[in-house]
Amino acid sequence: MKNTFGHAVAFTLFGESHGPETGIVIDGLAPGIGVDEEFIAARLALRRPAGGISTARREADEFRIVSGVYRGRTTGTPVCILIPNTQARSGDYERLSGIARPGHADYTAHCKYHGFEDPRGGGHFSGRLTAALTAGGALAILALRGKGVTLGTHISRCAGIADREFASADEDIDLLNSRQFAVLDEEAGARMQEAILAAAQAGDSVGGVLETAVCGLPAGLGEPWFDTVEGVLSHALFSIPAVKGVEFGSGFAMADMRGGESNDAFYMDDGEIRTKTNHNGGVNGGITNGMPVVFRCAVKPTPSIALNQETVDFVRGTDTELRIEGRHDPAVVHRARAVADSVTALVFCDLLAGRFGTDWLMP
Amino acid sequence: MKNTFGHAVAFTLFGESHGPETGIVIDGLAPGIGVDEEFIAARLALRRPAGGISTARREADEFRIVSGVYRGRTTGTPVCILIPNTQARSGDYERLSGIARPGHADYTAHCKYHGFEDPRGGGHFSGRLTAALTAGGALAILALRGKGVTLGTHISRCAGIADREFASADEDIDLLNSRQFAVLDEEAGARMQEAILAAAQAGDSVGGVLETAVCGLPAGLGEPWFDTVEGVLSHALFSIPAVKGVEFGSGFAMADMRGGESNDAFYMDDGEIRTKTNHNGGVNGGITNGMPVVFRCAVKPTPSIALNQETVDFVRGTDTELRIEGRHDPAVVHRARAVADSVTALVFCDLLAGRFGTDWLMP
Amino acid sequence: MKNTFGHAVAFTLFGESHGPETGIVIDGLAPGIGVDEEFIAARLALRRPAGGISTARREADEFRIVSGVYRGRTTGTPVCILIPNTQARSGDYERLSGIARPGHADYTAHCKYHGFEDPRGGGHFSGRLTAALTAGGALAILALRGKGVTLGTHISRCAGIADREFASADEDIDLLNSRQFAVLDEEAGARMQEAILAAAQAGDSVGGVLETAVCGLPAGLGEPWFDTVEGVLSHALFSIPAVKGVEFGSGFAMADMRGGESNDAFYMDDGEIRTKTNHNGGVNGGITNGMPVVFRCAVKPTPSIALNQETVDFVRGTDTELRIEGRHDPAVVHRARAVADSVTALVFCDLLAGRFGTDWLMP
Amino acid sequence: MKNTFGHAVAFTLFGESHGPETGIVIDGLAPGIGVDEEFIAARLALRRPAGGISTARREADEFRIVSGVYRGRTTGTPVCILIPNTQARSGDYERLSGIARPGHADYTAHCKYHGFEDPRGGGHFSGRLTAALTAGGALAILALRGKGVTLGTHISRCAGIADREFASADEDIDLLNSRQFAVLDEEAGARMQEAILAAAQAGDSVGGVLETAVCGLPAGLGEPWFDTVEGVLSHALFSIPAVKGVEFGSGFAMADMRGGESNDAFYMDDGEIRTKTNHNGGVNGGITNGMPVVFRCAVKPTPSIALNQETVDFVRGTDTELRIEGRHDPAVVHRARAVADSVTALVFCDLLAGRFGTDWLMP
């Protein structure tokens, strides 16, 4: 299925960094969902470069919804959102023969597309497409919100600096969604931004970890085999450029625990079944248990750096050196948080509509 | 698609811990692949309980291939492998009303299946089904081997003890596939086994990390969005019971690196394009680059422990305590390595057949 | 997806004519559906050879449900039904080198599977697999019945002889499901059986048309594009061996009508919206309108005939002649009716569960 | 998957009759295919209203390819083609409360989308979307042509008047692709056009039958169960508005044949295996046999007619009468031929890429 993901709610991504339009088609979203275009614009703004710590490419991110919405509400038929590339300056990025940028997809794209790929600015591999994904996901966030499901992502780690952990997921989500630089501890956030700037000045880049919480999900979502909540979510999350790891709950830290610690004790809380800890990230046996679904994505440092790098010319088959000119994002983790929210929201719309039917997300 | 995974090569899992048969159907595997039943049996043996460190349930793991094989070779039509449950002793595991075992799927299964689920021994959620997955994957391993693709998994960490890292992936794979307890450093392995026994004596359990390497893959496999190699693999890997995290290459450790470190420099090696490091785990932009694909799965401690645990009776809606009787696996990470190999092999058969056509895997 | 069909409810078929077991896995069926094994046996009996007009191969059609059922009800996890081939007599059908039986799949199987296909009795292409499909569909029929959806199929035409048309679909369905030779007009049925015998005596075979009606479906099932009710149903129906055409409502006859005739006038009938005619077969714009869904399948004559036939030896690449020995079905249309019911029921379970959620089919 | 069809090559349709843009995304098409925009325009022209026999809505059908094409060739990443609705005149079609046009999807859309559907001009159900399908299919036709696979469709029947049958499929295809009104016998075509005009003058409409031939396909495409060539093609073809039946080869006529007649005798023809007749339409056991794949689609009369019609107001729940004002197509069969070609080409690209790999369609 490739550039399409999902079953009951499916989304299809298209476009290239320097093509005329990028876009997303979302199919299967329930009819009647209010389409708040300001909210979509606000979500796009969260993904846009912030302050001095981001790339010089300033994208207006104007979007047009060209199908699936009538009188301000979803119709239930495919919603297509287009985002034009108004600022594409092809010259900046034109590929010099076959020089592979390390950490990028230049070489693998060539292996797959035999030289017919659009090389300008990463082509179809460009982070530019995450704008469309963010816009589409904004619609999914609206749909979920109408059913009491909320979500948010923070930069739990950047350049080796840790944000504080989630305390009350519900309240922390609200906090995060009000912040352009998504940290719970603003002092830690300030230090992260300094570290990003320091890396930029050194011609280098930094990575980080995003942590997402989803609250208000019903228990019973997901499947025992293959379409586990963890499996379906991770499948989609690895499409966020630079994500190299996904863990749920305490994730890799559970490997060093004993069962007596990692087992989350159930208890009755005012008639509701809850767990005292949430090491399992709200998922048991692949299926939601009603606790917040919590997971983390490892985001590698931006591969575009200003340092000299050894590499090859894959057309000529020779060793060479590369120094990437121009300004580039010294980090993407702070921008990727909006994308993580969007991907998560789209996936849960799919899981919910698959489990409870198409109309479940109707307001 | 739920209990079916894959497109060009798809596999479907069925059965319950205490039902008469468990099984797997593998569809789309090329015709002509030699079906070495001894090899399948040997792979099943790698998954079976070892020495004193595993559960008392001794399964013969006799399997029957009932379709898709003719005169010792695959026909190209669906292969069904059945594994009967000869040793099922229902009484041992019968559920007492609605007491949720912490860390298990009892409660979430109930939410999803409304009490109609088979509760005996975890029912369809049981690790017992990984025998069928292992057997099916053995066929996939044979198919890949015929095309020069090899793979192996080691216990890179267990109970806080680390195995040595992969040196030469090719040679280490051979080593691992010859060992029942899959470590590269046997001294570390001995300490892991001691730690497992110590946990068992304390009525507790331990977790670990599995690391898998796949060698010999062509560059150009995978898709830029959604069906990235990382996405598709992790989707399937999270079905291995107890897996709570998946990371590729240096994974979460990349979050703390700078780009100058995490970018893998390309170089020409006797006419072949290779990278000097492999922080990206053989995947750039979702697509294989010809280097070994390397990834790690976090395996949580076995949730079945002999300690007293607080929990709820979800039928009565009351708090209660639970002490799980009988002997249980104090760790599954060493058994899960065979499952990880099998899932990985099945996924790469799918990716290869999707990319190069059904016949590509023919010998 | 090949040997798997469906999304919310999916079914996977495996086995060969002379292999040890054939079977079906049904995934996604709601939990709690009562599994009436006598009903399944009765449905299999409808598919079995009748009287003097069918093949000499007498199959016991004993089936075993090996997963997904607990205490007589579906659990919600995959149901696997196995049907052993107790009477397989390989010698009768063994392929003589590469002689293609005209109208059969010998040659196309060879092109696809390169000679590794199981040639005995048609292998995986055998009508024998429709027993498993019939058994699986019986479960789907039970699920639908629990929600007031009923269906039935009659031989609307055989050897040029027409059955009467549906009068009251509801009542006619009951009538059909009580008859081994599924006609509404028993006098026409008697003449059909005579014609089948006459063809058999001439060493030849006859075809026919099956007409199915499905009552009690809610309006609003299906999709405007691609997953239209017609599209999804026909996709599955063409898997019934020998089906070469599928038409809905008045189908091909509509091509010669004018719009004033083919448009079905809506009217209010005691508060319900109905149509006065049903030329559109209960489907407008790909979506059910609440009227019975009615369609017809063209079934070609059995290709196995006792006459001399010109053909090729595709291994040697030479012209040759063929005379198929042994007794064969002079018609399959009367047996295929049970298969048509089953395929239809499985498809509607999928459409209903996809539209209204997994639990909709719960009793 | 709904508005997306296909696996190896998948296409997604979006848009509404009176929305700003309609479009198609085609994913999985091989890289390097030359994108001849004049050819796409020519294919769109074949779909456009002809002479006096079509609707007054004159659409420019200007299209924009906004992704997946670079320097005149496909890149291998998703191709999005947009077709704006420049001539949408909303007022003409605005729905009066809930009056269901007989034969249309107004009522079924309402059942599915609960009143949130876009009612203007049929919304997402509009034949207008077939322009995007035609444009996308034009690319698929180009891809196939590069591999020697050609196809064409004629109006084999319209208003009860028959065209001549295919003689040499290869040559007839060339003939058809050069004609705006796709008949093999122009005299029959003239009479068809008269009959269409006569129906128009009577305020009524007519239907017909389209017959398509595909030449140059390799043997061995398709699957024995579920993804038969017939099943996959019919699934897609039923999305062409007004199609109510699909038959392959001699189709429904085979029901009245005997096996001795309907079996196609194989013979050696200069080293190639061919059949003397083609009653099976190039498909045996669901798989292509190397003969032309031939099939027919029944197209019902246009439901929009100028006559008084009985119907209901489904919002008020009352009987009412309807007379559709304005000019409408008195037939769509002659326009649908371009759509049938396109759908067919897209489906075969999918089957070929799935069978032989993504690169098989590369030039």
Side-chain angles (χ1 to χ4, degrees), chain C residues 158-237:
Chain C
C158 178
I161 299 152
D163 190 20
R164 78 156 165 84
E165 295 187 7
F166 277 122
S168 159
D170 270 323
E171 291 168 28
D172 285 343
I173 283 172
D174 288 343
L175 192 64
L176 291 169
N177 289 331
S178 71
R179 291 186 174 164
Q180 181 74 19
F181 193 86
V183 285
L184 296 167
D185 172 354
E186 293 199 290
E187 190 273 329
R191 284 193 292 133
M192 289 177 189
Q193 296 185 54
E194 281 165 32
I196 294 172
L197 284 172
Q201 279 163 350
D204 214 335
S205 65
V206 297
V209 174
L210 292 173
E211 185 176 46
T212 302
V214 189
C215 293
L217 290 166
L221 277 186
E223 302 289 334
W225 295 95
F226 307 133
D227 286 352
T228 61
V229 167
E230 295 109 323
V232 178
L233 257 175
S234 67
H235 189 157
L237 291 166

Side-chain angles (χ1 to χ4, degrees), chain B residues 69-70 75 77, chain C residues 16-19 90 95 113 115-125:
Chain B
V69 175
Y70 179 63
T75 58
T77 56
Chain C
E16 285 87 33
S17 179
H18 290 55
S90 234
R95 189 166 74 195
Y113 302 115
F116 293 106
E117 67 276 8
D118 179 345
R120 299 168 299 166
H124 184 58
F125 291 76

Side-chain angles (χ1 to χ4, degrees), chain A residues 78-138:
Chain A
V79 178
C80 177
I81 308 179
L82 296 175
I83 301 189
N85 282 323
T86 48
Q87 302 261 331
R89 289 171 304 161
S90 235
D92 285 2
Y93 294 84
E94 190 75 45
R95 188 166 75 195
L96 303 164
S97 59
I99 297 174
R101 291 172 300 160
H104 273 290
D106 303 325
Y107 170 59
T108 55
H110 191 81
C111 294
K112 184 171 173 63
Y113 302 115
H114 306 288
F116 293 106
E117 67 276 10
D118 180 345
R120 299 169 298 164
H124 183 58
F125 291 76
S126 168
R128 178 70 186 136
L129 272 80
T130 60
L133 202 45
T134 301

Side-chain angles (χ1 to χ4, degrees), chain C residues 124 225-226 235 239 280 300, chain D residues 124 225-226 235 239 280 300:
Chain C
H124 184 58
W225 295 95
F226 307 133
H235 189 157
S239 279
N280 285 279
K300 72 175 185 180
Chain D
H124 183 58
W225 295 95
F226 306 133
H235 190 157
S239 278
N280 285 280
K300 72 175 185 180

Side-chain angles (χ1 to χ4, degrees), chain A residues 296-363:
Chain A
R296 270 174 302 284
C297 295
V299 181
K300 73 175 184 178
T302 328
S304 292
I305 54 176
L307 304 174
N308 255 22
Q309 296 186 79
E310 294 175 87
T311 188
V312 298
D313 181 321
F314 53 76
V315 171
R316 294 202 185 85
T318 53
D319 287 316
T320 185
E321 287 208 349
L322 168 74
R323 194 184 152 92
I324 303 174
E325 303 294 333
R327 288 183 59 190
H328 293 279
D329 274 336
V332 291
V333 64
H334 56 294
R335 300 179 62 186
R337 60 72 80 106
V339 191
D341 281 347
S342 274
V343 167
T344 303
L346 285 162
V347 167
F348 276 109
C349 283
D350 183 28
L351 291 172
L352 286 160
R355 175 76 178 86
F356 299 118
T358 306
D359 294 350
W360 194 83
L361 287 166
M362 279 184 67

Side-chain angles (χ1 to χ4, degrees), chain D residues 58-197:
Chain D
R58 299 211 144 266
E59 300 142 341
D61 284 348
E62 282 162 16
F63 63 92
R64 285 197 304 142
I65 303 179
V66 298
S67 73
V69 176
Y70 179 63
R71 295 185 174 164
R73 294 190 173 272
T74 55
T75 57
T77 57
V79 177
C80 177
I81 308 178
L82 297 174
I83 301 188
N85 282 323
T86 48
Q87 301 262 331
R89 289 170 304 162
S90 233
D92 284 2
Y93 294 84
E94 191 75 46
R95 189 166 75 195
L96 304 164
S97 59
I99 297 174
R101 291 171 300 160
H104 274 290
D106 304 325
Y107 170 59
T108 56
H110 191 82
C111 295
K112 183 170 173 65
Y113 303 115
H114 307 287
F116 293 107
E117 67 276 9
D118 179 346
R120 300 168 299 165
H124 183 58
F125 292 76
S126 168
R128 178 71 186 134
L129 272 81
T130 60
L133 202 45
T134 301
L139 219 58
I141 292 170
L142 287 169
L144 292 176
R145 191 189 277 181
K147 309 308 290 183
V149 177
T150 59
L151 74 164
T153 298
H154 73 124
I155 307 162
S156 80
R157 193 170 182 86
C158 178
I161 299 152
D163 191 20
R164 78 158 165 83
E165 296 187 7
F166 277 122
S168 158
D170 270 321
E171 291 168 28
D172 285 344
I173 283 171
D174 288 344
L175 192 65
L176 291 169
N177 289 332
S178 71
R179 290 187 174 163
Q180 182 74 20
F181 193 87
V183 285
L184 295 168
D185 172 355
E186 293 200 290
E187 191 273 330
R191 284 192 292 132
M192 289 177 191
Q193 295 185 54
E194 281 165 33
I196 295 172
L197 283 171

Side-chain angles (χ1 to χ4, degrees), chain C residues 2 108 124 204 225-227 230 235 239 244 246 248 256 260 263 268 276 280 300 303 309-310 319, chain D residues 2 124 157 204 225-227 230 235 239 244 246 248 260 263 268 276 280 300 303 309-310 319:
Chain C
K2 299 164 182 171
T108 55
H124 184 58
D204 214 335
W225 295 95
F226 307 133
D227 286 352
E230 295 109 323
H235 189 157
S239 279
K244 297 298 283 188
V246 176
F248 287 79
D256 286 353
N263 281 354
M268 299 303 306
K276 295 196 172 174
N280 285 279
K300 72 175 185 180
Q309 295 186 80
E310 295 175 86
D319 287 315
Chain D
K2 299 164 182 171
H124 183 58
R157 193 170 182 86
D204 214 334
W225 295 95
F226 306 133
D227 286 351
E230 295 110 322
H235 190 157
S239 278
K244 297 298 282 189
V246 176
F248 287 79
N263 280 355
M268 299 303 304
K276 295 196 172 174
N280 285 280
K300 72 175 185 180
Q309 296 185 80
E310 294 175 88
D319 287 315

